Structure formats: C-alpha cells, structure tokens
Amino acid sequence: MPRLFPSLRGYQWQWPSRDALAGVTVWAIRVPEALAYATIAGVSPVVGLYAAPAALILYAVLGSSRHLMAGPMAATAALSAAVVGDVAGGSGAHFAALAAAPAVTVGIAALLAGLLRLGFLASFISEPVLKGFIVGLALTIIAGQLPKLFGVEGGSGDFFEKIWALIGDLGATSGLTVLVGAGSLLLILALKRIAPVMPGSLIAVALGIAVAAAFDLEDHGVAVVGEIDTGLPPFGFPDVSLADLGALAAGSVGVLLVAFAEGLGAAKDYAVRGHYEVDANRELIGLGAAGLGAGLSSGMVVNGSLSKTAVNW
C-alpha cells in the first residue's frame, strides 16, 4: 500500500505559520480561478469550487511533491469540454449530466497508470510538442472567451472560425461590458506588477461584484454569472451509463497525458528549488486520487497547477 502523506517526511515545527499564510494566499487566487475554469469546461461555476477541496486533500495524502497545488486548470478544462461535447452530441442536458464523469475516468486511468509504474512514460513526451499543444489550446480558449469580453454571442468551431465569427459580431459590442472586462484585466495586470503578493484575481472579482451591485450592471446589458449554489456538493458516482463512461475513456487518456505532463513539470521544477525529489509514479497516484475525489464530489477534471504552486512557494 502506498505510504500516506509522503511529502510530510522531514516536516519541521517552524513551518506551520508560513504554510498557513501560503494556504490563505492560494485560496484567494483559487476561488476566482476555479469559477472561471468551470465556465471554460462548459459547466456551472460552482463545479470548480466543488472540485477544489478533494483535489487538494487527496493529492496531499498520496502525491510526492511538497509544493504542488492540484485543482481545476484551463488546459484540462478545455479538453474536458471537448471530450464531453463529443459524447453528449450537442445535447445540453446530457452535457450537464456528463460533466463530472471525465474527472472520474481520468482519475481511474491515472491511478491504474501509477500502480502499474508507468510514470517513466513522461520522459517520452517531447517538451516542444507539449508546449506547442498548450499554446494552441490557450489560443483556442482565448478565442472562446473573447465574445464574453465584448458582450456578443460569438461562434463555434476552431480558433479561426471563432475569431471570424467574433469579427462579424463586433457591431453588436456592448461598450459597458468591454469597459468592465478591460478594467478588470488591467487591474489584475497592474497588481501583478505593482504588488505581486496581493491576490489580483480575487480583488478584481470582489470589485466587480460590488460595482455590478451598486450600478445594476445587469440591467444595462452586462452579463453576470448569476446565483451560485450554496452548501456542500452532492457526493457519489456521476449519474452516467457504462456506455457513456466507455465513450469517455479514450478522450480521458488524452486529458491525462496533458494533466500529468503539466503537473509533473511543475512538481519537478519546485522539487529542484526545494532540494528534494518527486516520484513520477506517486504523482500519477496523487493525480488519480485528486481527480477521482473531484469527480465523486460533482467536480471537474483537475491537475497540478504551475501558477498556484508558484504562489504557494
């Protein structure tokens, strides 16, 4: 049986106060990012919050990195949306029902790969190919989010089709929406440069909520997230058929490769800085447990986050 909490080996009593500060700082960034990544995955924003606790706790129990933060990420969120979209066949209701299933299938695949000691396969993933894939995926995500920034409908398809549809819709741009969106981006970028220790994303979200409420922006054409469910998530296996799980399996392996490569890269980077080693097989097991926990908590696909790990560091 894998040893639990391997990252706590050699833990010193002087560290808890600094770890508590790091935890609060990461929380301040994780909350708004989780809401945003859930929308990229095509699910309700609260799903990103559902995924976070199980991912954090179960990765800490089984993962080997002392610093890696597991949770929803943009790349795997976009891939998950594509995988679910193919299986759902354009049905919105079916898409919602399948939303948590990829987290479970990716988690199971990662656990099996870790127990079979397949971590060595990460050395065969070419970094230029992975970087190119992630950059291309980032461009696709940007193309999908730009219509929201301009307050227009947007289109579907690949990157070029989405951009072309956006250009055609620019005549219907909402100036107030652009002002709110651009102002939020400028605030985040400014805080990152002027006061990098401050949670720029959380501050932007808090100010956005305050401004939207004070000036009734929704009544002036600015789209808002709306009411977010409160309370604990529903726990249990996603309500999907075995046929749907089988259809998701192949796509889940692709999501796993990206999730594992991205998370392992971040874990190795900070292991070098902290003068310790990470085990690729334990990383697979930690990722699998985190994903399975997120899926059973009605969450979404998760993986190791370089940006949140940097904040934690």
Coordinates of all heavy atoms in Angstrom, one line a residue, residues 50-126:
Y50 N -16.5 22.9 -6.2 CA -16.7 21.5 -5.8 C -15.5 20.7 -5.9 O -15.2 19.8 -5.1 CB -17.9 20.8 -6.6 CG -19.3 21.3 -6.3 CD1 -20.3 21.0 -7.1 CD2 -19.5 22.1 -5.1 CE1 -21.6 21.5 -6.9 CE2 -20.8 22.5 -4.9 CZ -21.8 22.2 -5.7 OH -23.1 22.6 -5.5
A51 N -14.7 20.9 -7.0 CA -13.6 20.1 -7.3 C -12.4 20.4 -6.4 O -11.5 19.5 -6.2 CB -13.1 20.2 -8.7
A52 N -12.3 21.6 -5.8 CA -11.1 22.0 -5.2 C -10.7 21.3 -3.9 O -9.6 20.8 -3.7 CB -11.2 23.5 -4.9
P53 N -11.6 21.1 -2.9 CA -11.2 20.5 -1.6 C -10.7 19.1 -1.8 O -9.6 18.8 -1.2 CB -12.5 20.6 -0.8 CG -13.3 21.6 -1.4 CD -13.0 21.6 -2.9
A54 N -11.4 18.2 -2.5 CA -11.0 16.9 -2.7 C -9.6 16.8 -3.4 O -8.8 16.0 -3.0 CB -12.0 16.1 -3.4
A55 N -9.5 17.6 -4.4 CA -8.2 17.6 -5.1 C -7.0 18.0 -4.2 O -6.0 17.3 -4.2 CB -8.3 18.6 -6.3
L56 N -7.2 19.0 -3.4 CA -6.1 19.4 -2.5 C -5.8 18.4 -1.5 O -4.6 18.0 -1.3 CB -6.5 20.7 -1.8 CG -6.5 22.0 -2.7 CD1 -7.2 23.2 -1.9 CD2 -5.1 22.4 -3.0
I57 N -6.8 17.9 -0.8 CA -6.6 16.9 0.3 C -6.0 15.6 -0.2 O -5.0 15.1 0.3 CB -7.9 16.7 1.0 CG1 -8.3 18.0 1.7 CG2 -7.7 15.6 2.1 CD1 -9.7 18.0 2.3
L58 N -6.6 15.0 -1.3 CA -6.2 13.7 -1.7 C -4.8 13.7 -2.4 O -4.1 12.8 -2.3 CB -7.3 13.1 -2.6 CG -8.6 12.8 -1.9 CD1 -9.6 12.3 -3.0 CD2 -8.3 11.7 -0.9
Y59 N -4.5 14.9 -3.1 CA -3.2 14.9 -3.6 C -2.1 15.0 -2.5 O -1.1 14.3 -2.5 CB -3.0 16.1 -4.5 CG -1.5 16.2 -5.0 CD1 -1.1 15.4 -6.0 CD2 -0.6 17.0 -4.3 CE1 0.3 15.4 -6.4 CE2 0.7 17.0 -4.6 CZ 1.2 16.2 -5.7 OH 2.5 16.2 -6.0
A60 N -2.4 15.8 -1.4 CA -1.5 15.8 -0.3 C -1.3 14.5 0.4 O -0.2 14.2 0.9 CB -2.0 16.9 0.7
V61 N -2.4 13.7 0.4 CA -2.3 12.3 1.0 C -1.4 11.4 0.2 O -0.6 10.6 0.8 CB -3.7 11.7 1.1 CG1 -3.6 10.3 1.6 CG2 -4.5 12.5 2.1
L62 N -1.5 11.5 -1.1 CA -0.8 10.5 -1.9 C 0.3 11.0 -2.8 O 1.2 10.2 -3.3 CB -1.8 9.7 -2.8 CG -2.8 8.8 -2.0 CD1 -3.9 8.3 -2.9 CD2 -2.0 7.7 -1.3
G63 N 0.3 12.3 -3.2 CA 1.3 12.9 -4.0 C 2.7 13.0 -3.4 O 2.8 13.0 -2.1
S64 N 3.7 13.2 -4.2 CA 5.1 13.2 -3.6 C 5.7 14.6 -3.5 O 6.7 14.8 -2.9 CB 6.0 12.3 -4.5 OG 6.1 12.8 -5.8
S65 N 5.0 15.6 -4.1 CA 5.6 17.0 -4.1 C 5.1 17.7 -2.8 O 4.0 17.6 -2.4 CB 5.1 17.8 -5.3 OG 5.5 19.1 -5.2
R66 N 6.0 18.5 -2.3 CA 5.7 19.2 -1.1 C 5.0 20.6 -1.4 O 4.5 21.2 -0.5 CB 7.0 19.5 -0.3 CG 7.7 18.3 0.2 CD 9.0 18.7 0.9 NE 9.8 17.5 1.2 CZ 11.1 17.5 1.7 NH1 11.7 18.7 1.8 NH2 11.7 16.4 1.9
H67 N 5.1 21.0 -2.7 CA 4.6 22.3 -3.0 C 3.5 22.3 -4.0 O 2.8 23.3 -4.2 CB 5.8 23.1 -3.6 CG 6.9 23.4 -2.6 ND1 8.0 22.6 -2.5 CD2 7.0 24.3 -1.6 CE1 8.8 23.0 -1.5 NE2 8.2 24.0 -1.0
L68 N 3.3 21.2 -4.8 CA 2.4 21.2 -5.9 C 0.9 21.4 -5.4 O 0.5 20.8 -4.5 CB 2.5 19.9 -6.7 CG 1.6 19.9 -8.0 CD1 2.2 20.9 -9.1 CD2 1.6 18.5 -8.6
M69 N 0.2 22.3 -6.1 CA -1.2 22.6 -5.8 C -2.1 22.0 -6.9 O -1.9 22.3 -8.1 CB -1.5 24.1 -5.7 CG -0.6 24.8 -4.7 SD -0.7 24.2 -3.0 CE -2.4 24.6 -2.6
A70 N -3.0 21.1 -6.5 CA -3.8 20.4 -7.5 C -5.2 21.1 -7.5 O -5.7 21.6 -6.5 CB -4.0 19.0 -7.2
G71 N -5.8 21.2 -8.7 CA -7.1 21.9 -8.8 C -7.5 22.0 -10.3 O -6.7 21.6 -11.2
P72 N -8.6 22.7 -10.6 CA -9.0 22.9 -12.0 C -8.0 23.8 -12.7 O -7.4 24.7 -12.1 CB -10.4 23.6 -11.8 CG -10.8 23.3 -10.4 CD -9.6 23.1 -9.6
M73 N -7.8 23.5 -14.0 CA -6.8 24.3 -14.8 C -7.5 24.5 -16.2 O -8.3 23.7 -16.6 CB -5.5 23.5 -14.9 CG -4.6 23.6 -13.7 SD -4.1 25.2 -13.3 CE -3.1 25.6 -14.7
A74 N -7.0 25.5 -16.8 CA -7.6 25.9 -18.1 C -7.5 24.9 -19.2 O -8.4 24.5 -19.9 CB -7.0 27.3 -18.6
A75 N -6.2 24.3 -19.3 CA -6.0 23.4 -20.4 C -6.9 22.1 -20.3 O -7.5 21.7 -21.3 CB -4.5 23.0 -20.5
T76 N -6.9 21.5 -19.1 CA -7.6 20.3 -18.9 C -9.1 20.6 -18.9 O -10.0 19.8 -19.3 CB -7.2 19.6 -17.6 OG1 -7.2 20.6 -16.6 CG2 -5.9 18.9 -17.8
A77 N -9.5 21.8 -18.5 CA -10.9 22.2 -18.6 C -11.4 22.3 -20.0 O -12.5 21.8 -20.3 CB -11.2 23.5 -17.9
A78 N -10.6 22.8 -20.9 CA -11.0 22.9 -22.3 C -11.0 21.5 -22.9 O -11.9 21.2 -23.7 CB -10.0 23.8 -23.0
L79 N -10.1 20.7 -22.6 CA -10.0 19.3 -23.2 C -11.2 18.5 -22.7 O -11.9 17.8 -23.4 CB -8.7 18.6 -22.8 CG -7.5 19.1 -23.5 CD1 -6.2 18.4 -22.9 CD2 -7.6 18.8 -25.0
S80 N -11.6 18.7 -21.4 CA -12.7 18.0 -20.8 C -14.0 18.4 -21.5 O -14.8 17.6 -21.9 CB -12.8 18.3 -19.3 OG -14.0 17.8 -18.8
A81 N -14.1 19.7 -21.8 CA -15.3 20.2 -22.5 C -15.4 19.6 -23.9 O -16.5 19.2 -24.4 CB -15.3 21.7 -22.7
A82 N -14.3 19.4 -24.6 CA -14.3 18.8 -25.9 C -14.7 17.4 -25.9 O -15.4 16.9 -26.7 CB -12.9 19.0 -26.6
V83 N -14.1 16.6 -24.9 CA -14.4 15.2 -24.7 C -15.9 15.0 -24.4 O -16.6 14.2 -25.0 CB -13.5 14.6 -23.6 CG1 -14.0 13.2 -23.3 CG2 -12.1 14.6 -24.0
V84 N -16.4 15.8 -23.5 CA -17.8 15.6 -23.1 C -18.7 16.0 -24.2 O -19.8 15.4 -24.5 CB -18.1 16.5 -21.8 CG1 -19.6 16.5 -21.5 CG2 -17.4 15.9 -20.6
G85 N -18.3 17.1 -25.0 CA -19.1 17.6 -26.1 C -19.3 16.5 -27.2 O -20.4 16.3 -27.7
D86 N -18.2 15.7 -27.4 CA -18.3 14.7 -28.4 C -19.3 13.6 -28.0 O -20.0 13.1 -28.8 CB -16.9 14.1 -28.6 CG -16.0 15.0 -29.4 OD1 -16.5 16.0 -30.0 OD2 -14.8 14.8 -29.3
V87 N -19.3 13.3 -26.7 CA -20.2 12.2 -26.2 C -21.6 12.7 -26.1 O -22.5 11.9 -26.4 CB -19.6 11.6 -24.9 CG1 -20.6 10.6 -24.3 CG2 -18.2 11.1 -25.0
A88 N -21.8 13.9 -25.7 CA -23.1 14.5 -25.5 C -23.8 14.7 -26.8 O -25.1 14.7 -26.8 CB -23.0 15.8 -24.7
G89 N -23.1 14.9 -27.9 CA -23.8 15.0 -29.2 C -24.6 16.2 -29.3 O -25.7 16.2 -30.0
G90 N -24.2 17.3 -28.7 CA -25.0 18.6 -28.8 C -26.1 18.7 -27.8 O -26.8 19.8 -27.9
S91 N -26.4 17.8 -27.0 CA -27.5 17.8 -26.0 C -27.0 18.5 -24.7 O -26.1 18.1 -24.0 CB -28.0 16.4 -25.7 OG -28.8 16.5 -24.6
G92 N -27.6 19.7 -24.4 CA -27.2 20.5 -23.3 C -27.4 19.7 -22.0 O -26.6 19.7 -21.1
A93 N -28.6 19.0 -21.9 CA -28.9 18.3 -20.7 C -28.0 17.1 -20.5 O -27.5 16.9 -19.4 CB -30.4 17.8 -20.8
H94 N -27.6 16.4 -21.6 CA -26.7 15.3 -21.5 C -25.3 15.8 -21.1 O -24.6 15.2 -20.3 CB -26.7 14.6 -22.8 CG -26.1 13.2 -22.7 ND1 -25.7 12.5 -23.8 CD2 -25.8 12.4 -21.6 CE1 -25.2 11.3 -23.4 NE2 -25.3 11.2 -22.1
F95 N -24.9 17.0 -21.6 CA -23.6 17.6 -21.3 C -23.5 17.8 -19.8 O -22.5 17.5 -19.2 CB -23.4 18.9 -22.1 CG -22.1 19.4 -22.0 CD1 -21.2 19.3 -23.1 CD2 -21.6 20.1 -20.8 CE1 -19.9 19.8 -23.0 CE2 -20.3 20.6 -20.8 CZ -19.5 20.5 -21.8
A96 N -24.5 18.4 -19.2 CA -24.5 18.7 -17.8 C -24.4 17.4 -17.0 O -23.7 17.3 -16.0 CB -25.8 19.5 -17.4
A97 N -25.1 16.3 -17.4 CA -25.1 15.1 -16.7 C -23.7 14.4 -16.7 O -23.3 13.7 -15.8 CB -26.1 14.1 -17.2
L98 N -23.0 14.6 -17.8 CA -21.7 14.0 -18.0 C -20.5 14.8 -17.5 O -19.4 14.4 -17.5 CB -21.4 13.8 -19.5 CG -22.3 12.8 -20.3 CD1 -22.0 12.9 -21.8 CD2 -21.9 11.4 -19.8
A99 N -20.8 16.0 -16.9 CA -19.7 17.0 -16.6 C -18.7 16.4 -15.6 O -17.5 16.6 -15.8 CB -20.4 18.3 -16.0
A100 N -19.2 15.7 -14.6 CA -18.2 15.2 -13.6 C -17.6 13.9 -14.0 O -16.6 13.5 -13.4 CB -19.0 15.0 -12.3
A101 N -18.1 13.2 -15.0 CA -17.6 11.9 -15.4 C -16.1 11.9 -15.9 O -15.4 11.0 -15.5 CB -18.5 11.3 -16.5
P102 N -15.7 12.9 -16.7 CA -14.3 12.9 -17.1 C -13.3 12.9 -15.9 O -12.2 12.3 -15.9 CB -14.1 14.1 -17.9 CG -15.5 14.4 -18.5 CD -16.4 14.0 -17.4
A103 N -13.7 13.6 -14.8 CA -12.8 13.6 -13.6 C -12.6 12.2 -13.1 O -11.5 11.8 -12.7 CB -13.4 14.6 -12.6
V104 N -13.7 11.5 -13.1 CA -13.6 10.1 -12.6 C -12.8 9.2 -13.5 O -11.9 8.5 -13.1 CB -15.1 9.5 -12.4 CG1 -15.0 8.0 -12.0 CG2 -15.8 10.3 -11.3
T105 N -13.1 9.3 -14.8 CA -12.4 8.4 -15.7 C -10.9 8.8 -15.8 O -10.0 7.9 -15.9 CB -13.0 8.5 -17.1 OG1 -13.1 9.9 -17.6 CG2 -14.4 7.9 -17.1
V106 N -10.6 10.1 -15.8 CA -9.1 10.5 -15.8 C -8.5 10.0 -14.5 O -7.3 9.5 -14.5 CB -9.0 12.0 -15.9 CG1 -7.6 12.5 -15.7 CG2 -9.4 12.4 -17.3
G107 N -9.2 10.2 -13.4 CA -8.7 9.7 -12.1 C -8.4 8.2 -12.0 O -7.3 7.8 -11.6
I108 N -9.3 7.4 -12.5 CA -9.1 6.0 -12.5 C -7.9 5.6 -13.4 O -7.1 4.8 -13.1 CB -10.4 5.3 -13.0 CG1 -11.5 5.4 -12.0 CG2 -10.1 3.8 -13.3 CD1 -12.8 4.9 -12.4
A109 N -7.8 6.3 -14.6 CA -6.7 6.0 -15.5 C -5.4 6.3 -14.9 O -4.4 5.6 -15.0 CB -6.9 6.8 -16.8
A110 N -5.3 7.5 -14.2 CA -4.1 7.9 -13.5 C -3.7 6.9 -12.4 O -2.5 6.6 -12.3 CB -4.2 9.3 -13.0
L111 N -4.7 6.5 -11.6 CA -4.4 5.6 -10.5 C -3.9 4.2 -11.1 O -2.9 3.7 -10.6 CB -5.7 5.3 -9.7 CG -6.1 6.3 -8.7 CD1 -7.5 6.0 -8.1 CD2 -5.1 6.4 -7.6
L112 N -4.5 3.7 -12.1 CA -4.0 2.5 -12.7 C -2.6 2.6 -13.3 O -1.7 1.8 -13.1 CB -5.0 2.0 -13.9 CG -6.4 1.5 -13.4 CD1 -7.2 1.3 -14.6 CD2 -6.2 0.3 -12.5
A113 N -2.3 3.8 -14.0 CA -1.0 4.0 -14.5 C 0.0 4.1 -13.4 O 1.2 3.6 -13.6 CB -1.0 5.3 -15.4
G114 N -0.3 4.8 -12.3 CA 0.6 4.9 -11.2 C 0.9 3.5 -10.6 O 2.1 3.2 -10.2
L115 N -0.1 2.7 -10.3 CA 0.0 1.4 -9.7 C 0.8 0.5 -10.6 O 1.5 -0.4 -10.1 CB -1.3 0.8 -9.4 CG -2.1 1.6 -8.3 CD1 -3.5 1.0 -8.1 CD2 -1.3 1.5 -6.9
L116 N 0.7 0.7 -11.9 CA 1.4 -0.1 -12.9 C 2.8 0.4 -13.2 O 3.6 -0.1 -14.0 CB 0.7 -0.2 -14.2 CG -0.6 -1.0 -14.2 CD1 -1.4 -0.9 -15.5 CD2 -0.4 -2.5 -13.8
R117 N 3.2 1.5 -12.5 CA 4.5 2.2 -12.5 C 4.8 2.6 -14.0 O 5.9 2.3 -14.5 CB 5.6 1.2 -12.0 CG 5.3 0.7 -10.6 CD 6.5 0.0 -10.0 NE 7.6 0.9 -9.8 CZ 7.7 1.7 -8.7 NH1 6.7 1.7 -7.8 NH2 8.7 2.4 -8.6
L118 N 3.9 3.3 -14.5 CA 4.1 3.8 -15.9 C 4.5 5.3 -15.9 O 4.5 5.9 -17.0 CB 2.7 3.7 -16.7 CG 2.2 2.3 -16.9 CD1 0.9 2.3 -17.6 CD2 3.2 1.4 -17.6
G119 N 5.0 5.8 -14.8 CA 5.5 7.2 -14.7 C 6.6 7.5 -15.7 O 6.8 8.6 -16.1
F120 N 7.4 6.4 -16.0 CA 8.5 6.6 -16.9 C 8.1 7.1 -18.3 O 8.9 7.7 -19.0 CB 9.3 5.3 -17.0 CG 8.6 4.3 -17.8 CD1 8.8 4.2 -19.2 CD2 7.8 3.4 -17.2 CE1 8.2 3.2 -19.9 CE2 7.1 2.4 -18.0 CZ 7.3 2.3 -19.3
L121 N 6.9 6.9 -18.6 CA 6.4 7.3 -20.0 C 6.5 8.9 -20.1 O 6.5 9.3 -21.3 CB 5.0 6.8 -20.2 CG 4.8 5.3 -20.3 CD1 3.3 5.0 -20.4 CD2 5.6 4.8 -21.5
A122 N 6.5 9.6 -19.0 CA 6.5 11.0 -19.1 C 7.8 11.5 -19.8 O 7.8 12.6 -20.4 CB 6.5 11.7 -17.7
S123 N 8.9 10.7 -19.7 CA 10.2 11.1 -20.3 C 10.1 11.0 -21.8 O 10.9 11.6 -22.5 CB 11.3 10.2 -19.8 OG 11.0 8.8 -20.2
F124 N 9.0 10.4 -22.4 CA 8.9 10.3 -23.8 C 8.0 11.4 -24.4 O 7.8 11.5 -25.6 CB 8.3 8.9 -24.2 CG 9.2 7.8 -23.9 CD1 9.0 7.0 -22.8 CD2 10.3 7.4 -24.7 CE1 9.8 5.9 -22.4 CE2 11.1 6.4 -24.4 CZ 10.9 5.6 -23.3
I125 N 7.5 12.2 -23.6 CA 6.6 13.4 -24.0 C 7.6 14.5 -24.4 O 8.2 15.1 -23.5 CB 5.6 13.8 -23.0 CG1 4.7 12.6 -22.6 CG2 4.8 15.0 -23.5 CD1 3.7 12.9 -21.5
S126 N 7.6 14.9 -25.7 CA 8.5 15.9 -26.1 C 8.0 17.3 -25.6 O 6.9 17.6 -25.7 CB 8.5 16.0 -27.7 OG 9.2 17.1 -28.1

